[in-house]
Amino acid sequence: KGFRYLSPLEFPNTVINGPASQANIVFGWRRLSATISNLGTAGLDAILYACDQLRLGRAKTLVAGGLEELSVDVYSAHRSLLAPPGPVGPWSSVGLCLGEGAAAVWLQLASQPQERPILAYILGYARATSRYSKVHQDSMVSAMQAALKLAELRPEQIDFVAASANGISYQDVAETEALRVVFGASSQIPVVAYKSYFGEALGASGALQVVCAVLDLKAGRVSATLTAPLGVDAPHVLTESLALGAKRALVYCASLDGCCSALVLEKAEP
């Protein structure tokens, strides 16, 4: 019938900050609110952004995370990268298995009065871009090394790594090389690819990885990667869950535009 019959009340639901706005309404949050749209690193970047706001004193507590819906548009945009029928997963180098989901974490400064049981501490975080404008090991190396530097930790003090591998051949290779640079070619630090559980969830992936890593730290284990590496000489990827008594984890998330974000977690002792 034409634009004259459109309700202006529908417009707020069409913009990218619609979900955050709806959450603010439901929970009665009236302070800081922002939406990060950074392709595959958005979920982790939202957590990094929230950490910055806490450090700057702009809030005392924040909820941050990411979400993604598997829609026709998402499918169409990634169609050329999808894997054919058959075995697929991180380090399979045959293509993507798309997923969807949502995850969020409650954040506050460690110096603030405890409002909820603390599961983990964020010791350091960083974001880097690649001069190649595509997935490349240089941004992954830069982000991981910067996060470790801010956390004042050496690579060998990390108990396991939550990788961003998703089955795209050039990303699998780039991540393998980046991990070798950061942790050493002969490193035996366990690596888990949580995307083997939920697929490439794009804007939700980083937040989902953080939640999975926190749960592993809480349980004192490293989860298995569901699919064994097929296409590349992958790092020390676990195909069976390992009871490690892990205390620290490094989570990183790489995007197809060449950006990478990383975060160092430490288990909160009871």
Side-chain angles (χ1 to χ4, degrees), residues 24-101:
N24 290 335
I25 294 171
V26 170
F27 294 104
W29 296 332
R30 299 178 179 274
R31 294 183 179 272
L32 183 83
S33 179
T35 297
I36 309 296
S37 180
N38 280 351
L39 297 177
T41 62
L44 190 52
D45 287 340
I47 295 174
L48 271 57
Y49 176 82
C51 289
D52 280 339
Q53 303 312 302
L54 291 171
R55 291 175 60 194
L56 292 170
R58 295 173 179 169
K60 292 183 179 180
T61 57
L62 287 172
V63 173
L67 59 90
E68 193 71 58
E69 178 186 19
L70 185 53
S71 64
V72 173
D73 292 334
V74 170
Y75 172 82
S76 299
H78 297 84
R79 188 173 182 177
S80 63
L81 299 173
L82 297 179
V88 61
W91 285 294
S92 65
S93 292
V94 296
L96 283 177
C97 177
L98 286 172
E100 63 180 356

Side-chain angles (χ1 to χ4, degrees), residues 5-181:
Y5 291 87
L6 291 176
S7 170
L9 298 178
E10 291 298 326
F11 175 76
N13 297 321
T14 67
V15 292
I16 62 172
N17 66 330
S21 298
Q22 290 295 326
N24 290 335
I25 294 171
V26 170
F27 294 104
W29 296 332
R30 299 178 179 274
R31 294 183 179 272
L32 183 83
S33 179
T35 297
I36 309 296
S37 180
N38 280 351
L39 297 177
T41 62
L44 190 52
D45 287 340
I47 295 174
L48 271 57
Y49 176 82
C51 289
D52 280 339
Q53 303 312 302
L54 291 171
R55 291 175 60 194
L56 292 170
R58 295 173 179 169
K60 292 183 179 180
T61 57
L62 287 172
V63 173
L67 59 90
E68 193 71 58
E69 178 186 19
L70 185 53
S71 64
V72 173
D73 292 334
V74 170
Y75 172 82
S76 299
H78 297 84
R79 188 173 182 177
S80 63
L81 299 173
L82 297 179
V88 61
W91 285 294
S92 65
S93 292
V94 296
L96 283 177
C97 177
L98 286 172
E100 63 180 356
V105 293
W106 177 282
L107 300 169
Q108 67 178 76
L109 292 175
S111 58
Q112 293 291 332
Q114 181 178 335
E115 296 187 20
R116 283 169 167 75
I118 296 175
L119 299 179
Y121 296 100
I122 296 174
L123 302 183
Y125 55 91
R127 174 176 166 81
T129 57
S130 171
R131 64 181 184 274
Y132 298 99
S133 298
K134 63 179 182 179
V135 174
H136 196 275
Q137 70 182 65
D138 64 345
S139 60
M140 301 182 200
V141 171
S142 296
M144 285 190 276
Q145 289 181 336
L148 286 169
K149 183 177 180 180
L150 185 61
E152 299 182 343
L153 293 174
R154 301 184 304 276
E156 59 268 26
Q157 291 178 287
I158 298 297
D159 293 311
F160 72 90
V161 176
S164 186
N166 57 16
I168 299 177
S169 57
Y170 52 82
Q171 180 161 336
D172 288 345
V173 172
E175 294 200 32
T176 298
E177 294 303 317
L179 289 169
R180 286 173 176 165
V181 171

